[in-house]
Amino acid sequence: MNPLLNRLCIAIAGLLLPGLSIASASSDGSLDLTGSVVGYSALTIFVIAYIVVMSEEFTHLRKSKPVILAAGLIWAAIAAAYSGTADHHIVESALRHNLLEFSELFLFLLAAMTYVNTMDERNVFEALRSRLVRKGFSYRSLFWLTGLLAFFLSPILDNLTTALVMCAVLLAVGKDNARFVSIGCINIVVAANAGGAFSPFGDITTLMVWQKGLVDFYTFFLLFIPSVVNFLVPAAFMHFAIPSGSPVATTEQVIMRRGAKRIMLLFACTIATAVSFHNFLYLPPFLGMMTGLAFLQFFGFYLKKTHKTLPADNKYVGSIGDVTPVGSQEKMFDFFNRLARAEWDTLLFFYGVVLCVGGLGFIGYLEMASETLYIDAGPTIANIAVGVMSAIVDNIPVMFAVLSMNPAMELGQWLLVTLTAGVGGSLLSIGSAAGVALMGQARGKYTFFSHLKWTPVIALGYAASIMVHMWLNADSFKVPIT
């Protein structure tokens, strides 16, 4: 019988007759719970939790809540299964290992989010938006300009923040043209996801691969051209659907607040610190990011101590030297307020996902999945499938599952799964955080079905980027990763 079919039959039989399945001990003393009631219960809990996560748009229940609950229930069930054995301590050790992985990513993301929130508070993104609105570009020029900016900003910031800023531009200049806004939002989602795929900072999935030490910092840039192809192929088709003409230009002007440019420079220094700590001192990147966060704390202290306020009727808007002249409405800079405004729902969601997937891996399901996908089907097909799955299920748990499986693959295959997990979410509007956020921001103009209409050309770009990677980076498929 075909091995894939054989495993499927066994899994179905186990699901239908769970009473016949018992936990067995492996050679290292851990229990194989994949065919037990505990294993099936853990799977059921995770699936239910993720269904609730995917319905967030309709229920308005924060996505972190179901996965945090699921994580606690899964590990409690595992601990209960081990409670009567001599190896109950290995559950605690495994949980602490998963928590350590989350902690490193949490601290890295917290530092990055705080910088982004600070730049937002200093009007960096609003100034960019107002500048583009005043230029009087045509609809087609704005389509390409916002797409290109999304592609090149997302590697530095992140795909979600970039998409929101660019969508604000579209809504400001094209609010009376729903067709332009709809297609422009699709282009931004594709561009932001593609731009994030070739940078360790562009997406959480690339960050996970980098921190795991599987791909070094500069090697990610081998994915630059495949990412460009992923963006340009669908954009070239959508270009012809953009209406002709130009929106009415406005005279709105927003000036960045005091210290904005210096904060951008500090952010660049922070990224350089993280890369240097990792590449030259062999320290985890999060330490460099947290060190860079101290740069912002000291500069925030300077801004606070030198804060001055002009009268409320002052005619100036923006900043003059070391004076912040928006009168009584201008608030003093507070670093901890920026820290508090980090995307805590996303960070806590990530905690829940890491522990849920870690629990399923401890039970033994990831080893089964790894054997089925990466041995029976082969790494290329498996990695392409990972990208397709990330269009339905968030790419964070998918990529964490792959990293937990840790299949034996060459560098080229690790780059392939990094690419597919990053850009695969563009296939559907619900496949990435950028798409979900823009459906809320451009409600009624950018929808699931308006995106679905262009899925075939996005899929064409997805396939083209994979082929370009396998052609241009063919030598990387010969480099083993140990």
Side-chain angles (χ1 to χ4, degrees), residues 299-311:
F299 185 66
F301 179 76
Y302 162 77
L303 288 178
K304 190 173 182 178
K305 287 296 184 182
T306 59
H307 177 84
K308 296 179 182 179
T309 304
L310 291 184

Side-chain angles (χ1 to χ4, degrees), residues 381-396:
I381 294 175
N383 290 333
I384 293 172
V386 163
V388 177
M389 284 189 287
S390 68
I392 304 169
V393 181
D394 192 276
N395 59 3
I396 295 174

Side-chain angles (χ1 to χ4, degrees), residues 152-438:
F152 286 106
L153 282 177
S154 60
I156 305 169
L157 303 175
D158 64 82
N159 50 9
L160 175 58
T161 302
T162 301
L164 289 172
V165 172
M166 292 299 104
C167 183
V169 175
L170 290 182
L171 292 173
V173 300
K175 56 186 176 182
D176 298 324
N177 195 319
R179 182 189 177 102
F180 165 70
V181 172
S182 174
I183 299 175
C185 284
I186 298 169
N187 186 49
I188 287 171
V189 170
V190 174
N193 289 337
F198 70 87
S199 164
F201 307 101
D203 198 312
I204 293 178
T205 55
T206 58
L207 177 59
M208 287 192 289
V209 174
W210 182 43
Q211 291 213 138
K212 196 78 171 179
L214 295 165
V215 179
D216 63 44
F217 183 82
Y218 299 104
T219 305
F220 278 99
F221 295 100
L222 292 175
L223 294 175
F224 176 73
I225 294 179
S227 297
V228 169
V229 170
N230 182 268
F231 159 54
L232 289 182
V233 169
F237 283 93
M238 289 187 284
H239 167 85
F240 297 100
I242 297 294
S244 57
S246 302
V248 178
T250 69
T251 58
E252 177 191 16
Q253 185 173 5
V254 176
I255 300 175
M256 293 186 293
R257 291 176 177 170
R258 183 171 67 103
K261 293 179 181 178
R262 283 170 283 182
I263 289 171
M264 287 189 280
L265 178 61
L266 288 176
F267 186 42
C269 293
T270 297
I271 293 174
T273 302
V275 174
S276 299
F277 273 34
H278 187 64
N279 286 0
F280 304 119
L281 301 178
Y282 308 103
L283 293 169
F286 83 87
L287 183 62
M289 290 299 289
M290 292 302 292
T291 303
L293 192 61
F295 304 162
L296 180 60
Q297 287 182 285
F298 278 102
F299 185 66
F301 179 76
Y302 162 77
L303 288 178
K304 190 173 182 178
K305 287 296 184 182
T306 59
H307 177 84
K308 296 179 182 179
T309 304
L310 291 184
D313 59 351
N314 191 279
K315 65 180 179 178
Y316 296 103
V317 176
S319 60
I320 303 174
D322 280 338
V323 178
T324 307
V326 189
S328 58
Q329 297 180 0
E330 179 68 18
K331 294 182 179 180
M332 185 181 300
F333 179 79
D334 187 343
F335 166 82
F336 289 101
N337 186 36
R338 296 302 101 201
L339 186 71
R341 290 179 63 85
E343 187 53 56
W344 287 100
D345 183 50
T346 298
L347 293 172
L348 292 175
F349 168 74
F350 192 52
Y351 159 83
V353 164
V354 168
L355 263 64
C356 281
V357 175
L360 296 178
F362 183 78
I363 288 171
Y365 286 121
L366 296 186
E367 185 178 351
M368 290 176 58
S370 178
E371 185 176 349
T372 301
L373 281 173
Y374 285 94
I375 296 178
D376 295 341
T380 300
I381 294 175
N383 290 333
I384 293 172
V386 163
V388 177
M389 284 189 287
S390 68
I392 304 169
V393 181
D394 192 276
N395 59 3
I396 295 174
V398 173
M399 178 57 86
F400 187 75
V402 173
L403 292 173
S404 299
M405 295 175 198
N406 197 22
M409 296 194 297
E410 298 80 11
L411 174 62
Q413 292 291 355
W414 281 111
L415 287 172
L416 177 60
V417 74
T418 301
L419 174 68
T420 57
V423 304
S426 301
L427 293 169
L428 297 174
S429 62
I430 61 171
S432 65
V436 172
L438 263 58

Side-chain angles (χ1 to χ4, degrees), residues 86-160:
D87 297 307
H88 59 87
H89 62 279
I90 68 173
V91 177
E92 181 184 3
S93 298
L95 180 59
R96 290 184 185 277
H97 174 74
N98 281 274
L99 185 61
L100 177 62
E101 292 199 24
F102 162 73
S103 299
E104 291 187 9
L105 289 164
F106 167 80
L107 293 173
F108 188 104
L109 291 171
L110 183 64
M113 287 178 175
T114 303
Y115 262 105
V116 170
N117 284 333
T118 302
M119 288 188 285
D120 183 41
E121 189 268 345
R122 296 286 98 180
N123 280 346
V124 171
F125 304 127
E126 276 296 301
L128 173 63
R129 181 192 63 79
S130 69
R131 183 178 179 83
L132 292 175
V133 169
R134 296 197 315 270
K135 289 296 183 178
F137 293 110
S138 68
Y139 284 119
R140 288 185 173 176
S141 296
L142 280 168
F143 170 82
W144 283 104
L145 187 59
T146 53
L148 287 169
L149 283 172
F151 182 84
F152 286 106
L153 282 177
S154 60
I156 305 169
L157 303 175
D158 64 82
N159 50 9
L160 175 58

